[in-house]
Amino acid sequence: MLLSLTTTSSSAITKPTFSCSSPIITHKSSFNGIRISHVIPPLRAATNTRQSVVMMAKREEELKEIRAKSTEEINDEIVDLKGELFMLRLQRSARNDFKSSEFKRMRKRVARMLTVKREREIDDGIGKRQSRKLDRQWRKSIVPRPPPSLIKLREEEAAEEAKEAASSA
């Protein structure tokens, strides 16, 4: 932030002033005769509008895909994504290599799914209190299962062991 300083007094002392083409907002300070002006830089035009348009299109496409699913499919995918988030947290705590951007992507996907789920509840006339009650019941009914990435990892390990056993025999 650029500041300009102007001093004023009753004597014949020269006044230091600074000029700028940017808009200036003047505030009086508590000092007698001193004014501090804040120079506001001009706003920059958005340079990545094309990128934001592409991102919006992807989000809209993802929402259409989510809305096409049944509520049961959405619930299953929410459980899977939360399991994936748990696996990412484990990888982070073990200091393994992982993509940190996956956290944000998965959290946002879960939020979109929960939003679509709530939209459907509103369409059915289910109030906020009843929705929370149903959500608690749903959470209690969830059967713990390993996330898809762990299942895939186990399958890959089993395939490697089978390959090693076949090559050694």
Side-chain angles (χ1 to χ4, degrees):
M1 177 186 292
L2 300 172
L3 294 174
S4 72
L5 177 66
T6 305
T7 58
T8 58
S9 65
S10 58
S11 63
I13 300 175
T14 59
K15 299 176 187 175
T17 57
F18 301 99
S19 63
C20 183
S21 62
S22 300
I24 298 175
I25 299 174
T26 305
H27 299 284
K28 290 186 179 181
S29 71
S30 61
F31 297 110
N32 291 331
I34 297 178
R35 289 187 180 181
I36 300 174
S37 301
H38 300 279
V39 179
I40 301 171
L43 296 174
R44 295 181 194 161
T47 57
N48 57 357
T49 54
R50 184 175 180 191
Q51 183 181 12
S52 63
V53 169
V54 170
M55 290 299 290
M56 286 292 283
K58 285 183 182 178
R59 274 187 233 130
E60 291 297 323
E61 184 179 308
E62 186 178 8
L63 276 173
K64 286 179 185 176
E65 175 189 324
I66 293 170
R67 286 191 174 110
K69 294 181 179 184
S70 70
T71 306
E72 295 301 319
E73 291 173 340
I74 289 175
N75 288 340
D76 289 341
E77 193 162 349
I78 289 171
V79 171
D80 289 342
L81 284 172
K82 288 193 174 192
E84 293 292 332
L85 278 168
F86 179 72
M87 292 299 294
L88 278 176
R89 277 188 233 111
L90 285 177
Q91 287 179 355
R92 181 176 61 187
S93 67
R95 301 195 187 271
N96 292 343
D97 291 336
F98 66 96
K99 290 184 179 179
S100 59
S101 62
E102 289 295 308
F103 281 108
K104 183 176 180 181
R105 188 187 64 78
M106 284 186 196
R107 277 197 317 263
K108 288 196 174 212
R109 182 142 173 100
V110 168
R112 286 186 189 111
M113 289 187 172
L114 290 173
T115 301
V116 170
K117 184 178 169 185
R118 180 65 185 132
E119 286 173 355
R120 290 180 183 173
E121 289 174 350
I122 290 171
D123 289 342
D124 293 340
I126 297 174
K128 191 175 186 179
R129 180 173 283 182
Q130 182 67 23
S131 172
R132 288 184 178 166
K133 186 176 180 181
L134 291 172
D135 194 43
R136 279 193 300 271
Q137 290 173 355
W138 172 70
R139 286 182 182 171
K140 288 180 182 177
S141 70
I142 294 174
V143 177
R145 61 177 189 249
S149 64
L150 185 61
I151 294 171
K152 185 178 177 182
L153 183 66
R154 287 180 182 170
E155 289 173 355
E156 289 173 357
E157 289 175 355
E160 286 179 19
E161 289 175 6
K163 187 179 177 181
E164 288 176 9
S167 64
S168 65

PDB file of all heavy atoms in Angstrom, residues 18-19 27-28 30 36 40-41 57 60 75 80 82 101 107 114 117 125-126 134 144-145 150 152 165 169:
ATOM      1  N   PHE A  18       2.749  14.542  -2.404  1.00  0.00           N
ATOM      2  CA  PHE A  18       3.033  13.526  -3.404  1.00  0.00           C
ATOM      3  C   PHE A  18       1.809  13.401  -4.281  1.00  0.00           C
ATOM      4  O   PHE A  18       0.691  13.373  -3.795  1.00  0.00           O
ATOM      5  CB  PHE A  18       3.334  12.180  -2.739  1.00  0.00           C
ATOM      6  CG  PHE A  18       4.497  12.231  -1.805  1.00  0.00           C
ATOM      7  CD1 PHE A  18       4.312  12.353  -0.432  1.00  0.00           C
ATOM      8  CD2 PHE A  18       5.787  12.163  -2.298  1.00  0.00           C
ATOM      9  CE1 PHE A  18       5.375  12.391   0.426  1.00  0.00           C
ATOM     10  CE2 PHE A  18       6.860  12.205  -1.437  1.00  0.00           C
ATOM     11  CZ  PHE A  18       6.663  12.321  -0.084  1.00  0.00           C
ATOM     12  N   SER A  19       2.008  13.288  -5.567  1.00  0.00           N
ATOM     13  CA  SER A  19       0.869  13.142  -6.463  1.00  0.00           C
ATOM     14  C   SER A  19       0.891  11.755  -7.085  1.00  0.00           C
ATOM     15  O   SER A  19       1.942  11.158  -7.279  1.00  0.00           O
ATOM     16  CB  SER A  19       0.917  14.210  -7.562  1.00  0.00           C
ATOM     17  OG  SER A  19       2.074  14.026  -8.332  1.00  0.00           O
ATOM     18  N   HIS A  27      -7.745  10.315   5.247  1.00  0.00           N
ATOM     19  CA  HIS A  27      -8.226  10.155   6.610  1.00  0.00           C
ATOM     20  C   HIS A  27      -7.459  11.134   7.482  1.00  0.00           C
ATOM     21  O   HIS A  27      -6.254  11.271   7.345  1.00  0.00           O
ATOM     22  CB  HIS A  27      -7.968   8.737   7.125  1.00  0.00           C
ATOM     23  CG  HIS A  27      -8.655   7.679   6.327  1.00  0.00           C
ATOM     24  ND1 HIS A  27      -9.994   7.433   6.425  1.00  0.00           N
ATOM     25  CD2 HIS A  27      -8.180   6.815   5.392  1.00  0.00           C
ATOM     26  CE1 HIS A  27     -10.318   6.451   5.620  1.00  0.00           C
ATOM     27  NE2 HIS A  27      -9.223   6.066   4.976  1.00  0.00           N
ATOM     28  N   LYS A  28      -8.147  11.817   8.386  1.00  0.00           N
ATOM     29  CA  LYS A  28      -7.456  12.702   9.311  1.00  0.00           C
ATOM     30  C   LYS A  28      -6.927  11.878  10.473  1.00  0.00           C
ATOM     31  O   LYS A  28      -7.625  11.027  10.999  1.00  0.00           O
ATOM     32  CB  LYS A  28      -8.394  13.786   9.825  1.00  0.00           C
ATOM     33  CG  LYS A  28      -8.767  14.789   8.765  1.00  0.00           C
ATOM     34  CD  LYS A  28      -9.563  15.914   9.351  1.00  0.00           C
ATOM     35  CE  LYS A  28      -9.902  16.911   8.265  1.00  0.00           C
ATOM     36  NZ  LYS A  28     -10.658  18.031   8.780  1.00  0.00           N
ATOM     37  N   SER A  30      -4.835  11.645  14.341  1.00  0.00           N
ATOM     38  CA  SER A  30      -4.971  12.322  15.617  1.00  0.00           C
ATOM     39  C   SER A  30      -3.934  13.429  15.787  1.00  0.00           C
ATOM     40  O   SER A  30      -4.041  14.232  16.686  1.00  0.00           O
ATOM     41  CB  SER A  30      -4.849  11.315  16.758  1.00  0.00           C
ATOM     42  OG  SER A  30      -3.574  10.704  16.707  1.00  0.00           O
ATOM     43  N   ILE A  36      -2.832  11.781   6.461  1.00  0.00           N
ATOM     44  CA  ILE A  36      -2.235  10.615   5.819  1.00  0.00           C
ATOM     45  C   ILE A  36      -3.205  10.131   4.751  1.00  0.00           C
ATOM     46  O   ILE A  36      -4.365   9.853   5.028  1.00  0.00           O
ATOM     47  CB  ILE A  36      -1.975   9.485   6.838  1.00  0.00           C
ATOM     48  CG1 ILE A  36      -1.020   9.988   7.917  1.00  0.00           C
ATOM     49  CG2 ILE A  36      -1.430   8.253   6.149  1.00  0.00           C
ATOM     50  CD1 ILE A  36      -0.810   9.015   9.040  1.00  0.00           C
ATOM     51  N   ILE A  40      -4.752   3.886  -3.353  1.00  0.00           N
ATOM     52  CA  ILE A  40      -5.292   2.573  -3.696  1.00  0.00           C
ATOM     53  C   ILE A  40      -4.834   2.218  -5.107  1.00  0.00           C
ATOM     54  O   ILE A  40      -5.073   2.972  -6.051  1.00  0.00           O
ATOM     55  CB  ILE A  40      -6.824   2.585  -3.629  1.00  0.00           C
ATOM     56  CG1 ILE A  40      -7.271   2.974  -2.231  1.00  0.00           C
ATOM     57  CG2 ILE A  40      -7.386   1.243  -4.044  1.00  0.00           C
ATOM     58  CD1 ILE A  40      -8.746   3.217  -2.122  1.00  0.00           C
ATOM     59  N   PRO A  41      -4.163   1.072  -5.277  1.00  0.00           N
ATOM     60  CA  PRO A  41      -3.740   0.681  -6.616  1.00  0.00           C
ATOM     61  C   PRO A  41      -4.957   0.313  -7.460  1.00  0.00           C
ATOM     62  O   PRO A  41      -5.976  -0.142  -6.930  1.00  0.00           O
ATOM     63  CB  PRO A  41      -2.844  -0.535  -6.386  1.00  0.00           C
ATOM     64  CG  PRO A  41      -3.262  -1.067  -5.066  1.00  0.00           C
ATOM     65  CD  PRO A  41      -3.759   0.103  -4.274  1.00  0.00           C
ATOM     66  N   ALA A  57     -17.360 -25.399 -15.762  1.00  0.00           N
ATOM     67  CA  ALA A  57     -17.954 -26.418 -16.608  1.00  0.00           C
ATOM     68  C   ALA A  57     -17.720 -27.804 -16.017  1.00  0.00           C
ATOM     69  O   ALA A  57     -18.623 -28.653 -16.023  1.00  0.00           O
ATOM     70  CB  ALA A  57     -17.370 -26.332 -18.013  1.00  0.00           C
ATOM     71  N   GLU A  60     -20.094 -28.225 -13.052  1.00  0.00           N
ATOM     72  CA  GLU A  60     -21.460 -28.451 -13.513  1.00  0.00           C
ATOM     73  C   GLU A  60     -21.623 -29.873 -14.021  1.00  0.00           C
ATOM     74  O   GLU A  60     -22.629 -30.526 -13.759  1.00  0.00           O
ATOM     75  CB  GLU A  60     -21.838 -27.441 -14.606  1.00  0.00           C
ATOM     76  CG  GLU A  60     -21.977 -26.022 -14.107  1.00  0.00           C
ATOM     77  CD  GLU A  60     -23.101 -25.872 -13.102  1.00  0.00           C
ATOM     78  OE1 GLU A  60     -24.151 -26.527 -13.253  1.00  0.00           O
ATOM     79  OE2 GLU A  60     -22.938 -25.100 -12.144  1.00  0.00           O
ATOM     80  N   ASN A  75     -24.813 -42.266  -0.992  1.00  0.00           N
ATOM     81  CA  ASN A  75     -24.379 -42.645   0.354  1.00  0.00           C
ATOM     82  C   ASN A  75     -23.159 -43.556   0.308  1.00  0.00           C
ATOM     83  O   ASN A  75     -22.215 -43.384   1.086  1.00  0.00           O
ATOM     84  CB  ASN A  75     -25.518 -43.329   1.111  1.00  0.00           C
ATOM     85  CG  ASN A  75     -26.608 -42.364   1.514  1.00  0.00           C
ATOM     86  OD1 ASN A  75     -26.393 -41.159   1.581  1.00  0.00           O
ATOM     87  ND2 ASN A  75     -27.790 -42.891   1.777  1.00  0.00           N
ATOM     88  N   ASP A  80     -17.146 -44.228   0.769  1.00  0.00           N
ATOM     89  CA  ASP A  80     -15.867 -44.538   0.111  1.00  0.00           C
ATOM     90  C   ASP A  80     -14.916 -43.344   0.137  1.00  0.00           C
ATOM     91  O   ASP A  80     -13.727 -43.486   0.441  1.00  0.00           O
ATOM     92  CB  ASP A  80     -16.098 -44.974  -1.342  1.00  0.00           C
ATOM     93  CG  ASP A  80     -16.737 -46.353  -1.433  1.00  0.00           C
ATOM     94  OD1 ASP A  80     -16.681 -47.100  -0.437  1.00  0.00           O
ATOM     95  OD2 ASP A  80     -17.288 -46.670  -2.507  1.00  0.00           O
ATOM     96  N   LYS A  82     -14.902 -40.801   2.211  1.00  0.00           N
ATOM     97  CA  LYS A  82     -14.428 -40.534   3.570  1.00  0.00           C
ATOM     98  C   LYS A  82     -13.349 -41.534   3.971  1.00  0.00           C
ATOM     99  O   LYS A  82     -12.400 -41.189   4.674  1.00  0.00           O
ATOM    100  CB  LYS A  82     -15.591 -40.538   4.560  1.00  0.00           C
ATOM    101  CG  LYS A  82     -16.459 -39.296   4.395  1.00  0.00           C
ATOM    102  CD  LYS A  82     -17.395 -39.113   5.539  1.00  0.00           C
ATOM    103  CE  LYS A  82     -18.111 -37.780   5.380  1.00  0.00           C
ATOM    104  NZ  LYS A  82     -18.826 -37.394   6.577  1.00  0.00           N
ATOM    105  N   SER A 101      -3.286 -32.185  -3.082  1.00  0.00           N
ATOM    106  CA  SER A 101      -4.482 -31.608  -3.707  1.00  0.00           C
ATOM    107  C   SER A 101      -5.670 -32.560  -3.622  1.00  0.00           C
ATOM    108  O   SER A 101      -6.816 -32.140  -3.783  1.00  0.00           O
ATOM    109  CB  SER A 101      -4.199 -31.265  -5.164  1.00  0.00           C
ATOM    110  OG  SER A 101      -3.868 -32.437  -5.885  1.00  0.00           O
ATOM    111  N   ARG A 107     -12.737 -33.585  -0.366  1.00  0.00           N
ATOM    112  CA  ARG A 107     -13.641 -32.881   0.552  1.00  0.00           C
ATOM    113  C   ARG A 107     -14.732 -32.157  -0.221  1.00  0.00           C
ATOM    114  O   ARG A 107     -15.908 -32.172   0.176  1.00  0.00           O
ATOM    115  CB  ARG A 107     -12.857 -31.885   1.399  1.00  0.00           C
ATOM    116  CG  ARG A 107     -12.207 -32.484   2.600  1.00  0.00           C
ATOM    117  CD  ARG A 107     -11.801 -31.441   3.619  1.00  0.00           C
ATOM    118  NE  ARG A 107     -11.197 -30.265   3.061  1.00  0.00           N
ATOM    119  CZ  ARG A 107      -9.886 -30.039   2.962  1.00  0.00           C
ATOM    120  NH1 ARG A 107      -9.039 -30.944   3.398  1.00  0.00           N
ATOM    121  NH2 ARG A 107      -9.429 -28.935   2.439  1.00  0.00           N
ATOM    122  N   LEU A 114     -23.246 -34.348  -0.420  1.00  0.00           N
ATOM    123  CA  LEU A 114     -24.125 -34.058   0.708  1.00  0.00           C
ATOM    124  C   LEU A 114     -25.121 -32.957   0.353  1.00  0.00           C
ATOM    125  O   LEU A 114     -26.273 -32.978   0.813  1.00  0.00           O
ATOM    126  CB  LEU A 114     -23.299 -33.670   1.933  1.00  0.00           C
ATOM    127  CG  LEU A 114     -22.495 -34.807   2.567  1.00  0.00           C
ATOM    128  CD1 LEU A 114     -21.581 -34.259   3.654  1.00  0.00           C
ATOM    129  CD2 LEU A 114     -23.411 -35.877   3.124  1.00  0.00           C
ATOM    130  N   LYS A 117     -27.803 -34.531  -1.705  1.00  0.00           N
ATOM    131  CA  LYS A 117     -28.620 -35.349  -0.796  1.00  0.00           C
ATOM    132  C   LYS A 117     -29.594 -34.462  -0.022  1.00  0.00           C
ATOM    133  O   LYS A 117     -30.783 -34.784   0.103  1.00  0.00           O
ATOM    134  CB  LYS A 117     -27.692 -36.092   0.154  1.00  0.00           C
ATOM    135  CG  LYS A 117     -28.366 -37.050   1.078  1.00  0.00           C
ATOM    136  CD  LYS A 117     -27.320 -37.753   1.937  1.00  0.00           C
ATOM    137  CE  LYS A 117     -27.965 -38.531   3.049  1.00  0.00           C
ATOM    138  NZ  LYS A 117     -26.986 -39.115   3.959  1.00  0.00           N
ATOM    139  N   GLY A 125     -39.731 -32.646   1.451  1.00  0.00           N
ATOM    140  CA  GLY A 125     -40.386 -31.969   2.563  1.00  0.00           C
ATOM    141  C   GLY A 125     -39.819 -32.344   3.919  1.00  0.00           C
ATOM    142  O   GLY A 125     -40.504 -32.190   4.930  1.00  0.00           O
ATOM    143  N   ILE A 126     -38.595 -32.834   3.950  1.00  0.00           N
ATOM    144  CA  ILE A 126     -37.967 -33.210   5.223  1.00  0.00           C
ATOM    145  C   ILE A 126     -37.296 -31.963   5.796  1.00  0.00           C
ATOM    146  O   ILE A 126     -36.498 -31.310   5.137  1.00  0.00           O
ATOM    147  CB  ILE A 126     -36.932 -34.333   5.013  1.00  0.00           C
ATOM    148  CG1 ILE A 126     -37.644 -35.580   4.508  1.00  0.00           C
ATOM    149  CG2 ILE A 126     -36.185 -34.630   6.302  1.00  0.00           C
ATOM    150  CD1 ILE A 126     -36.726 -36.713   4.137  1.00  0.00           C
ATOM    151  N   LEU A 134     -32.218 -38.370  10.662  1.00  0.00           N
ATOM    152  CA  LEU A 134     -31.992 -39.406   9.656  1.00  0.00           C
ATOM    153  C   LEU A 134     -30.505 -39.597   9.386  1.00  0.00           C
ATOM    154  O   LEU A 134     -30.041 -40.724   9.177  1.00  0.00           O
ATOM    155  CB  LEU A 134     -32.721 -39.055   8.356  1.00  0.00           C
ATOM    156  CG  LEU A 134     -34.247 -39.101   8.396  1.00  0.00           C
ATOM    157  CD1 LEU A 134     -34.832 -38.546   7.114  1.00  0.00           C
ATOM    158  CD2 LEU A 134     -34.720 -40.524   8.637  1.00  0.00           C
ATOM    159  N   PRO A 144     -18.402 -50.606   8.623  1.00  0.00           N
ATOM    160  CA  PRO A 144     -17.029 -50.239   8.261  1.00  0.00           C
ATOM    161  C   PRO A 144     -16.474 -51.188   7.201  1.00  0.00           C
ATOM    162  O   PRO A 144     -16.603 -52.408   7.310  1.00  0.00           O
ATOM    163  CB  PRO A 144     -16.242 -50.375   9.563  1.00  0.00           C
ATOM    164  CG  PRO A 144     -17.264 -50.373  10.646  1.00  0.00           C
ATOM    165  CD  PRO A 144     -18.518 -50.907  10.044  1.00  0.00           C
ATOM    166  N   ARG A 145     -15.897 -50.604   6.177  1.00  0.00           N
ATOM    167  CA  ARG A 145     -15.271 -51.395   5.131  1.00  0.00           C
ATOM    168  C   ARG A 145     -14.038 -50.657   4.648  1.00  0.00           C
ATOM    169  O   ARG A 145     -13.960 -49.425   4.775  1.00  0.00           O
ATOM    170  CB  ARG A 145     -16.242 -51.657   3.995  1.00  0.00           C
ATOM    171  CG  ARG A 145     -16.747 -50.402   3.308  1.00  0.00           C
ATOM    172  CD  ARG A 145     -17.650 -50.761   2.130  1.00  0.00           C
ATOM    173  NE  ARG A 145     -17.955 -49.592   1.352  1.00  0.00           N
ATOM    174  CZ  ARG A 145     -19.150 -49.034   1.290  1.00  0.00           C
ATOM    175  NH1 ARG A 145     -20.157 -49.554   1.950  1.00  0.00           N
ATOM    176  NH2 ARG A 145     -19.342 -47.965   0.556  1.00  0.00           N
ATOM    177  N   LEU A 150      -7.410 -49.035  -0.668  1.00  0.00           N
ATOM    178  CA  LEU A 150      -6.793 -50.086   0.130  1.00  0.00           C
ATOM    179  C   LEU A 150      -7.088 -51.461  -0.468  1.00  0.00           C
ATOM    180  O   LEU A 150      -6.216 -52.331  -0.508  1.00  0.00           O
ATOM    181  CB  LEU A 150      -7.288 -50.011   1.572  1.00  0.00           C
ATOM    182  CG  LEU A 150      -6.649 -50.977   2.557  1.00  0.00           C
ATOM    183  CD1 LEU A 150      -5.139 -50.710   2.641  1.00  0.00           C
ATOM    184  CD2 LEU A 150      -7.275 -50.840   3.919  1.00  0.00           C
ATOM    185  N   LYS A 152      -7.602 -52.051  -3.628  1.00  0.00           N
ATOM    186  CA  LYS A 152      -6.757 -52.125  -4.824  1.00  0.00           C
ATOM    187  C   LYS A 152      -5.310 -52.441  -4.441  1.00  0.00           C
ATOM    188  O   LYS A 152      -4.653 -53.264  -5.081  1.00  0.00           O
ATOM    189  CB  LYS A 152      -6.832 -50.800  -5.584  1.00  0.00           C
ATOM    190  CG  LYS A 152      -6.100 -50.790  -6.894  1.00  0.00           C
ATOM    191  CD  LYS A 152      -6.254 -49.455  -7.601  1.00  0.00           C
ATOM    192  CE  LYS A 152      -5.456 -49.421  -8.874  1.00  0.00           C
ATOM    193  NZ  LYS A 152      -5.547 -48.116  -9.541  1.00  0.00           N
ATOM    194  N   ALA A 165       5.579 -66.296  -6.273  1.00  0.00           N
ATOM    195  CA  ALA A 165       5.433 -67.727  -5.972  1.00  0.00           C
ATOM    196  C   ALA A 165       5.484 -68.551  -7.257  1.00  0.00           C
ATOM    197  O   ALA A 165       6.061 -69.641  -7.284  1.00  0.00           O
ATOM    198  CB  ALA A 165       4.121 -67.969  -5.243  1.00  0.00           C
ATOM    199  N   ALA A 169       8.632 -71.215  -8.116  1.00  0.00           N
ATOM    200  CA  ALA A 169       8.283 -72.637  -8.179  1.00  0.00           C
ATOM    201  C   ALA A 169       8.658 -73.299  -9.478  1.00  0.00           C
ATOM    202  O   ALA A 169       9.231 -72.929 -10.359  1.00  0.00           O
ATOM    203  CB  ALA A 169       6.785 -72.814  -7.989  1.00  0.00           C
TER     204      ALA A 169
END
